[in-house]
Amino acid sequence: MPTIDTVATIDLDVSYETGKPPILKTPAFGSLDAATSWVGEQGEAIRAELNRSGCLMIRGVPVRDAGDFARVRDVLLPKRASYKEKATPRTDFGEGVYSSTDLPAAQPIRLHNENSYTLDFPAVLLFGCVTAPESGGATTVGDMRRALHLIPADLRERFATTGWLLVRNFSELAGLPWHTSFATDDPAQVEAYCRENVIGHEWLPDGELRTRQRRSAIITHPVTGERTWFNHVAFWSRWSLDPDVRDVLLDTYGDDGLPFDTYVGDGTPLTEAEAAALNQVYDQVTLRETWQEGDLLLVDNILCAHGREAFQGARKILVAMGDPIALADCDPVTAPANTAYGK
């Protein structure tokens, strides 16, 4: 095995296996200091691989807790990105380090691009495994360049023309309340944020909030120049919910009261068949690798979507977001708006 003194001049030891993300095996390290130094030396090669593959698992860095993870993050992602318009519960460990998502272990999380509905978002995500689950629990990834080409042409063209529309109902009982998502208790600050970020909003009689925002379903990677499928269309479609959950939510909140729902950008509801077609594409491009403690997973948030398998046993996966980028710098096919296309 090459020593740490010489390995910087040698090509990265990356394995490529069908159905798995690329895996970079590092040299043996005697300390976290040595590991972070090596990661820094290999930064250019790691970024080149990330641009090619869209994701990269790094195996062999001795990350044991949130502090260790933050140190490696500062090398790989020195420019931190904030988490805006929060949509899922997370534990904040400080210094821009969070739990991946605090949802029940039995609930899988479909592939999605982080913050695809905001006007700026993290270009790169870093996940780290502190405690590996007994079974399942992989952080799944999928290439959205490939997904874009696999989507049925007529459906792809509709989204290319009009974008996609997200409707959110913020509630204390389902989803997240508005003061958690917007990190303020002041309605005036929420209204100002919505105006500045091209989000339509209305206050409901019970004091809850409903928002609408149209975004491009297809954007271009600013470095590679490749177009990608970048959105939460299938992820937040009512048709992606468990049928029993969907029925309960509809009975409780009504057709227009779901915590999240998505539409074609012209306001046309997504059909069950269309949602199924999108989810089938996600299934086709999904890659997975079983977590080992200390593993890191870099995900280019524009080139790849990510998700999570259901799992058993304790699981502690950390995440940090970096390289903030504006939607405007990604050549969106459809301009952002606070209402449906043409309305």
Side-chain angles (χ1 to χ4, degrees):
M1 178 180 293
T3 67
I4 293 175
D5 290 336
T6 62
V7 75
T9 63
I10 298 176
D11 290 340
L12 296 178
D13 181 9
V14 180
S15 64
Y16 305 88
E17 295 184 38
T18 301
K20 294 185 177 186
I23 301 174
L24 165 60
K25 182 169 176 51
T26 69
F29 299 117
S31 67
L32 186 62
D33 286 342
T36 55
S37 177
W38 182 86
V39 168
E41 292 169 357
Q42 306 304 318
E44 186 175 346
I46 288 172
R47 280 303 178 121
E49 178 60 40
L50 191 61
N51 287 337
R52 281 192 297 270
S53 298
C55 58
L56 178 65
M57 179 167 278
I58 303 175
R59 177 159 284 165
V61 178
V63 170
R64 299 291 178 260
D65 55 31
D68 291 347
F69 179 76
R71 287 185 59 190
V72 180
R73 181 276 315 276
D74 287 343
V75 176
L76 288 169
L77 297 177
K79 295 181 180 178
R80 301 182 190 180
S82 58
Y83 181 37
K84 296 183 176 182
E85 299 174 41
K86 298 179 178 66
T88 55
R90 299 178 188 268
T91 301
D92 187 345
F93 295 103
E95 292 298 310
V97 176
Y98 301 89
S99 60
S100 53
T101 297
D102 296 332
L103 290 177
Q107 179 179 339
I109 300 174
R110 296 178 183 273
L111 291 182
H112 61 285
N113 303 91
E114 198 68 35
N115 279 149
S116 73
Y117 45 93
T118 57
L119 295 187
D120 57 80
F121 44 83
V124 181
L125 309 174
L126 177 65
F127 296 89
C129 179
V130 173
T131 303
E134 293 176 11
S135 63
T139 296
T140 52
V141 289
D143 192 323
M144 293 298 99
R145 295 165 293 190
R146 183 178 173 218
L148 179 62
H149 292 291
L150 290 173
I151 294 169
D154 57 339
L155 188 58
R156 181 174 62 238
E157 182 57 30
R158 289 176 64 202
F159 281 107
T161 301
T162 68
W164 69 290
L165 182 68
L166 169 64
V167 177
R168 294 182 67 175
N169 286 281
F170 298 83
S171 170
E172 295 280 357
L173 301 177
L176 294 179
W178 60 264
H179 53 81
T180 298
S181 292
F182 291 95
T184 179
D185 291 322
D186 184 353
Q189 290 189 23
V190 174
E191 293 170 2
Y193 180 91
C194 288
R195 286 192 298 270
E196 293 168 4
N197 289 273
V198 199
I199 300 171
H201 66 280
E202 61 178 310
W203 295 103
L204 304 178
D206 57 3
E208 301 293 1
L209 176 69
R210 177 178 296 150
T211 61
R212 292 180 177 84
Q213 55 215 94
R214 194 187 79 217
R215 301 293 185 255
S216 183
I218 301 169
I219 65 174
T220 300
H221 194 282
V223 175
T224 72
E226 297 163 297
R227 285 197 166 183
T228 74
W229 179 250
F230 182 83
N231 54 72
H232 276 68
V233 172
F235 184 79
W236 276 332
S237 168
R238 65 178 61 195
W239 300 114
S240 294
L241 292 169
D242 178 274
D244 291 337
V245 173
R246 180 174 60 246
D247 290 344
V248 168
L249 288 173
L250 288 171
D251 287 344
T252 303
Y253 300 105
D255 189 65
D256 61 351
L258 296 178
F260 305 93
D261 207 0
T262 59
Y263 302 79
V264 182
D266 61 4
T268 305
L270 200 66
T271 68
E272 184 173 6
E274 289 167 343
L278 295 177
N279 282 320
Q280 183 180 31
V281 168
Y282 282 121
D283 290 342
Q284 285 181 259
V285 302
T286 295
L287 306 175
R288 57 97 58 206
E289 167 65 359
T290 300
W291 280 115
Q292 297 180 18
E293 291 182 5
D295 281 349
L296 301 171
L297 177 63
L298 275 168
V299 178
D300 185 304
N301 188 41
I302 300 173
L303 298 179
C304 274
H306 66 281
R308 188 201 73 183
E309 295 177 335
F311 63 93
Q312 293 183 330
R315 178 185 187 270
K316 186 174 183 181
I317 306 299
L318 305 176
V319 65
M321 308 177 193
D323 291 2
I325 189 168
L327 174 63
D329 293 331
C330 300
D331 192 22
V333 174
T334 308
N338 59 14
T339 188
Y341 183 84
K343 297 184 179 180

